[in-house]
Amino acid sequence: MTVDNRTTHESEPTEVGPPKTGSVGLPGIAESMRYAAREMGASRSLATLLKMNHVDGFDCPSCAWPDPEPGERKAAEFCENGAKAVAWEATRKRVTPAFFAEHSIDDLRGLTDHELERFGRLTEPMYLPPGATHYQPIGWDAAFTLVADRLKALDDPNRAVFYTSGRASNEAAFVYQLLARRLGTNNLPDCSNMCHESSGAALSETIGIGKGVVSRADIAEHAELIIIAGQNPGTNHPRMLTALEEAKKRGARIIAINPLPEAGFGRFHNPQTPKGLAGRGTQLADRLVPVRVNGDLALFNGLNKALAEREERSPGTVFDHDFLQRSCDGLEPALEAWRALDWSVVEEQSGLSRSEIEAIADDVVHAGSIIVCWAMGLTQHKNAVATIREITNFLLLRGNVGRPGAGPSPIRGHSNVQGDRTMGIWEKMPDSFLDKLSEEFGFEPSRAHGWDTVDSIRAMRDGKVDVFFALGGNFASATPDTAVTEAALANCALTVHVATKLNRSHVCHGTEALLLPCLGRTEKDVQAGREQFVTVEDSMAMVHASYGRLLPGSPELRSEVAIVSGLGHALFGEDLGWKQMGEDYAVIRKHIEHVVPGFQAFEDRVRAPGGFTLPRPPHDSRTFDTDNGRAHLTVNPPTTVEVPAGHLLLQTVRSHDQFNTTVYGLNDRYRGIKGGRKVVFINPADLAELGYADGDVVDVVSDLDGRERRARSFRLVGYPTTRGCVAAYFPEANVLVPLDSVAEVSNTPASKSVVVRFERAR
C-alpha cells in the first residue's frame, strides 16, 4: 500500500540561494512590517504591535519565550514571527457564509494549508450536514444543541475525544478539561503529546517536575555556559536571541549542537540597538557541534564518560560530590555504564570524534554554571526520553540544578502549551488533581487514563471514536502519517473545530462537521457587559495576564471560554455554574486557585505587573518530588536508528516563514529558499554518493510496517548538514512519519528520525 501527498502541498521553490550566517537586522524588521501592513494596515499594525508582550497588552500568540521584567521591556517587544502571528490573526480578510456557498468541500480540499489560511478569519458558525457538499450557516444555540445531543447519545463517554492546541488560555483550558471530565472521559490529547511529552516524562522521573527549572534571568544574567541542543532559536524562538546576546556580553559561552548550521547560531543583529542594525552584530555560538540526527544520546553519554574519566584521574575536581551525596542517587550504576561504554560506539552513533567531545568537556569543566536548552530536535526520537535523562545526568554531575544560571530548560513552542498541562489538559492527570476537582465541583471524575494524540488517531482509525472536538490547532496537519490521520478524522460521526481561520482539518471532516469561530488573543473579550482578560504560562513557569485590544473580527465571534462554557450549559445545565464561568473569568480563576497547586491568591497576584512564578522545587529549594525525595541519575545506553545502505535519516523542520503548521509565506530566507517549500536539504557529498545533483526532483519514500509512504516531487538542495542526514519542512513531510514510530515512554511521534530513500520523480 502506498500513501502520498500528491494534492495537498506547496510546489518546489523557484529560487535557491546560499544560507545566511546571521539573523534578524534590517531584513527582519522589513519583513515583519511588510507582512503586518499587508494583513492589518500600517497604522493598525503599529498600534497593535506596540501592545504586544506589555503588561497592559496581550501575550504573543506565537511561542512561549518569557518576557523581560516589566521595567526592562522595549517599546517593540516582539520578533518577526510574533509580528506575523499577530498579523495572521488580526488580518482584515474574512471568510463569510458567501465564501462557503461558493466553495465546495472538494474545492477546498484541493488547496494547500497556506492557501486555506490566506482567505482570512472565520466570521460565524458553519455546519456541514451528512452528505452535504458545502458548509452552511448555523446559529450558536443550534450548534451547541447539536454537539450536546451527539455527546449525550454516546454509548460510552470515551467515544469522544477532546483535543487542545497550546494557544488556549489557562481559563479556557481549565473549563475544557472540566467539561471532558464532567462528561466522564480523560481523552484529552494535546499538542504537548507531539512535542515536549518526552521532556516531561524524563524530568518528572529524574528531578520530580515535568517542566524546566530556569528563568530568563538565569540565561541572560547568570549562566557561564549555555548548551543549545536540537533547537533553532533564530526561527522558532527569536526573542531568545536577545537573552543570548546579553549572556555573551557578560562573558558566557554558547555551544550549539545541531545537524544544521542555523543562522540563529551566527551573528545576531539586534534590531533594537543601533550597533545591532549598523554594526557587525554579536556572534552567538562559540562552538558548532554537527551531531548526527538521533546522535544526541550518544553525545551526552560520551560527554558524561569524558567527565567521569577526568574525575577519576583527579578526584574531587570535576563532580559536585557534596550535592551528589546529599541530593542524588544512582551515581554508581551510571558510572559503571560510562566506564563500560566504548568510545567507538559513541563516535559512530554521534557522528563526532572523541576529540570533539573532549573539547566540549573542556568548556564544561571551566564553567561554574551550565544551562542546557532543547526543543523538538531532541524530543521527537524513539530514544528521546533516554536522551533527556542523560542530559539530566550531565547537569546533576556538577550540581547544575537549583542554583543561579544552571538547570534544564526545555523551550516550549505554543504560547500556553505549558499552561494547558498545568490546568489539567492531560490524559493521565494524577489522582491528587482529580481529588481536588471532585472536592471543588462535587462529581467524581473518571480515574481511567485516556488517549493521547497518537492513541486517539489509532482509536479513530479503528472506529472507536464518534465525536472529535478540537479547541484550536490544525490536527490533520500537525500529526504524523497524514493519510492515516485524515482517514481517521473522516471515520468520526461528528468533528467540531473551534478556530479563527480555515485549515486542513476542517476539510478532513466526519460524517457531519461544525466550525465554531472564536476570538483571537489580540481581540477584546467582553462578557455580560464586562471586559475580560485571560492568563498564560510561559516556558519559565511565569503566569501573567493578557488583555485583547482589537475589536473582534466579527460580531458573531465568541471567546474560547464562552464556547466551552456554552457547550457545558447545553450538556449539563447549570450543575457546575457554566454560565457564571462564561460571563466572568474571575470565577474560573477562583476554581483554579482551589484546584491547581501554586495558584493561591490567583486573581490578586496575576494582576500585578509581570504576574507571578509557579513553584519549581528543584529551582527554588533544591528539593525533588520523586519517589524518594532525591534526584535520580539513570543508565541510558546509547542507541540509534539503523539506516540501510542507500537510505538517509530525515528530520522534519520549520521554515523561517512559519510557526508550527501556520505558513506565513513560501520563503525561508535564512536557508536561502524562495517561492516554495518542497525541498530536501542534503549534504553535497551524499548527493554525489547517491548519484543525484543539486536541483534534481525526487520522490521521498519511507517504508515501515509494510506500507510505503511517499512525498512527491521534492527538490534536492545541497546544504552543509551532517553526512547521512537530511531535512524537510513539516507539515509537507508528515506523510512520511509512520504513526507507530514513536518515542519510548512518551509515545511522541518520532518525526526527527525517519529513514527515507529517494526515487527520481516521474
Side-chain angles (χ1 to χ4, degrees):
M1 178 180 179
T2 300
V3 295
D4 63 37
N5 66 334
R6 183 185 300 273
T7 62
T8 60
H9 300 292
E10 303 288 357
S11 63
E12 62 195 76
T14 58
E15 185 179 320
V16 176
K20 303 294 185 186
T21 57
S23 60
V24 196
L26 287 173
I29 296 175
E31 180 61 24
S32 300
M33 294 304 101
R34 187 182 302 117
Y35 186 89
R38 184 172 71 241
E39 297 296 321
M40 294 192 290
S43 61
R44 187 163 171 258
S45 294
L46 184 62
T48 303
L49 293 174
L50 291 179
K51 285 294 184 182
M52 187 173 172
N53 295 321
H54 284 277
V55 294
D56 62 342
F58 59 90
D59 190 70
C60 178
S62 186
C63 80
W65 184 251
D67 300 319
E69 291 299 314
E72 299 174 4
R73 299 181 193 182
K74 303 292 193 298
E77 191 60 58
F78 57 86
C79 68
E80 177 183 340
N81 269 2
K84 289 179 178 178
V86 168
W88 177 90
E89 177 176 288
T91 181
R92 295 169 295 183
K93 301 171 186 173
R94 298 291 180 263
V95 176
T96 65
F99 170 91
F100 287 105
E102 181 181 351
H103 298 280
S104 71
I105 290 293
D106 284 344
D107 291 340
L108 296 174
R109 196 175 288 133
L111 300 177
T112 67
D113 289 56
H114 178 51
E115 290 166 334
L116 288 171
E117 294 185 3
R118 284 178 65 189
F119 287 120
R121 291 289 297 277
L122 297 166
T123 58
E124 54 187 276
M126 302 299 296
Y127 172 54
L128 185 70
T133 59
H134 292 68
Y135 276 103
Q136 60 193 42
I138 185 174
W140 279 107
D141 288 345
F144 288 149
T145 298
L146 188 152
V147 179
D149 286 348
R150 302 301 182 269
L151 290 172
K152 290 175 182 176
L154 295 176
D155 294 334
D156 179 347
N158 290 308
R159 294 191 67 83
V161 165
F162 295 89
Y163 175 75
T164 319
S165 156
R167 275 183 170 171
S169 67
N170 288 329
E171 290 77 7
F174 185 83
V175 177
Y176 193 60
Q177 64 82 30
L178 180 64
L179 184 144
R181 292 189 164 104
R182 175 65 181 85
L183 183 69
T185 185
N186 284 308
N187 289 341
L188 284 158
D190 74 329
C191 54
S192 280
N193 299 145
M194 294 181 286
C195 55
H196 273 292
E197 198 70 56
S198 300
S199 302
L203 294 175
S204 294
E205 177 187 350
T206 55
I207 62 172
I209 186 171
K211 60 180 74 173
V213 294
V214 305
S215 66
R216 185 189 184 280
D218 284 315
I219 292 174
E221 301 173 17
H222 302 296
E224 296 179 24
L225 175 63
I226 302 165
I227 299 177
I228 302 171
Q231 182 202 356
N232 177 13
T235 287
N236 299 340
H237 312 90
R239 286 201 298 155
M240 183 179 180
L241 302 182
T242 303
L244 294 176
E245 183 182 49
E246 292 173 32
K248 287 292 296 182
K249 286 182 175 179
R250 59 171 178 77
R253 287 181 62 79
I254 296 173
I255 297 175
I257 300 172
N258 207 64
L260 298 171
E262 303 288 13
F265 301 142
R267 289 200 170 273
F268 170 48
H269 300 272
N270 191 330
Q272 297 183 334
T273 67
K275 183 179 177 181
L277 292 176
R280 297 182 64 245
T282 302
Q283 174 64 35
L284 293 182
D286 297 282
R287 191 184 299 279
L288 294 172
V289 182
V291 70
R292 177 183 179 270
V293 168
N294 195 232
D296 301 275
L297 176 55
L299 166 57
F300 277 95
N301 259 285
L303 187 54
N304 289 336
K305 178 179 177 67
L307 295 174
E309 289 174 347
R310 295 180 187 209
E311 173 65 25
E312 289 184 351
R313 288 195 298 267
S314 302
T317 64
V318 178
F319 291 176
D320 185 339
H321 285 287
D322 179 65
F323 171 70
L324 289 168
Q325 292 170 6
R326 177 168 34 86
S327 300
C328 306
D329 62 18
L331 177 61
E332 286 307 318
L335 286 172
E336 289 180 16
W338 294 324
R339 291 187 192 105
L341 179 59
D342 195 306
W343 271 109
S344 64
V345 172
V346 173
E347 291 179 316
E348 179 183 358
Q349 293 190 9
S350 68
L352 303 167
S353 67
R354 178 176 179 177
S355 62
E356 288 175 296
I357 296 172
E358 294 281 7
I360 301 172
D362 290 341
D363 289 334
V364 170
V365 296
H366 288 101
S369 54
I370 301 174
I371 290 173
V372 181
C373 304
W374 69 87
M376 305 302 94
L378 295 193
T379 65
Q380 294 180 329
H381 298 279
K382 184 177 181 180
N383 59 10
V385 174
T387 300
I388 297 163
R389 287 196 301 245
E390 194 66 16
I391 288 173
T392 308
N393 286 345
F394 166 74
L395 292 167
L396 293 173
L397 286 176
R398 289 177 54 80
N400 281 306
V401 176
R403 52 189 175 82
S409 183
I411 306 298
R412 307 281 174 168
H414 272 114
S415 65
N416 197 43
V417 65
Q418 188 162 295
D420 286 358
R421 179 59 55 88
T422 303
M423 292 297 107
I425 300 293
W426 193 27
E427 71 281 357
K428 296 181 287 192
M429 285 301 287
D431 284 345
S432 58
F433 179 92
L434 300 177
D435 289 342
K436 286 287 189 181
L437 203 67
S438 175
E439 181 181 325
E440 179 73 1
F441 291 100
F443 75 95
E444 181 57 35
S446 171
R447 306 298 169 122
H449 289 172
W451 292 318
D452 63 11
T453 296
V454 166
D455 284 336
S456 291
I457 297 170
R458 292 167 176 160
M460 289 189 284
R461 175 198 64 192
D462 297 341
K464 298 177 181 179
V465 176
D466 295 317
V467 177
F468 175 83
F469 195 111
L471 185 65
N474 184 354
F475 189 83
S477 290
T479 47
D481 224 338
T482 306
V484 173
T485 298
E486 291 182 357
L489 287 166
N491 212 25
C492 297
L494 171 66
T495 50
V496 185
H497 295 275
V498 177
T500 55
K501 282 188 169 184
L502 195 62
N503 66 42
R504 172 71 40 203
S505 298
H506 307 160
V507 297
C508 301
H509 54 81
T511 304
E512 55 183 341
L514 279 168
L515 302 182
L516 305 180
C518 65
L519 295 173
R521 185 79 60 78
T522 58
E523 292 169 315
K524 289 184 178 179
D525 183 353
V526 178
Q527 304 294 333
R530 295 189 299 272
E531 190 169 336
Q532 306 293 319
F533 70 89
V534 295
T535 63
V536 296
E537 178 186 348
D538 63 31
S539 275
M540 311 304 189
M542 282 291 300
V543 178
H544 55 275
S546 178
Y547 303 84
R549 291 306 183 191
L550 296 177
L551 292 176
S554 162
E556 286 294 312
L557 301 183
R558 296 198 181 184
S559 72
E560 291 178 321
V561 172
I563 292 170
V564 176
S565 60
L567 177 57
H569 180 78
L571 267 169
F572 309 115
E574 275 305 287
D575 64 340
L576 305 185
W578 302 99
K579 188 175 181 182
Q580 261 192 322
M581 289 188 283
E583 291 180 350
D584 184 358
Y585 301 173
V587 174
I588 303 172
R589 288 190 284 274
K590 182 58 69 173
H591 288 310
I592 292 171
E593 180 179 321
H594 296 162
V595 173
V596 185
F599 282 84
Q600 63 274 12
F602 186 7
E603 192 73 20
D604 292 336
R605 294 164 72 207
V606 83
R607 288 179 180 271
F612 62 94
T613 307
L614 291 173
R616 295 165 295 169
H619 175 278
D620 303 338
S621 57
R622 264 194 171 180
T623 55
F624 304 98
D625 187 18
T626 60
D627 52 357
N628 64 358
R630 299 172 72 83
H632 300 320
L633 286 96
T634 53
V635 175
N636 308 288
T639 60
T640 192
V641 176
E642 297 298 326
V643 181
H647 291 66
L648 299 156
L649 195 57
L650 169 79
Q651 62 170 326
T652 63
V653 297
R654 293 185 199 168
S655 81
H656 188 64
D657 218 4
Q658 81 180 92
F659 180 76
N660 291 347
T661 59
T662 300
V663 176
Y664 303 123
L666 303 184
N667 300 331
D668 186 352
R669 72 174 186 277
Y670 283 174
R671 299 193 184 106
I673 304 299
K674 185 175 182 180
R677 293 176 51 81
K678 293 177 65 175
V679 299
V680 178
F681 298 102
I682 178 172
N683 189 289
D686 288 325
L687 273 176
E689 184 176 301
L690 293 171
Y692 292 99
D694 189 313
D696 283 353
V697 178
V698 300
D699 289 353
V700 188
V701 183
S702 71
D703 299 287
L704 189 75
D705 58 28
R707 296 177 65 235
E708 178 186 274
R709 296 163 176 84
R710 182 177 296 266
R712 294 185 181 273
S713 301
F714 276 58
R715 185 198 193 282
L716 296 176
V717 175
Y719 206 80
T721 185
T722 303
R723 285 292 309 270
C725 305
V726 296
Y729 299 131
F730 74 84
E732 288 80 2
N734 282 1
V735 67
L736 299 168
V737 183
L739 182 64
D740 294 325
S741 178
V742 296
E744 296 169 345
V745 182
S746 70
N747 210 34
T748 295
S751 302
K752 298 290 189 286
S753 297
V754 185
V755 177
V756 298
R757 57 183 171 83
F758 300 149
E759 292 182 5
R760 294 191 183 274
R762 295 186 294 274

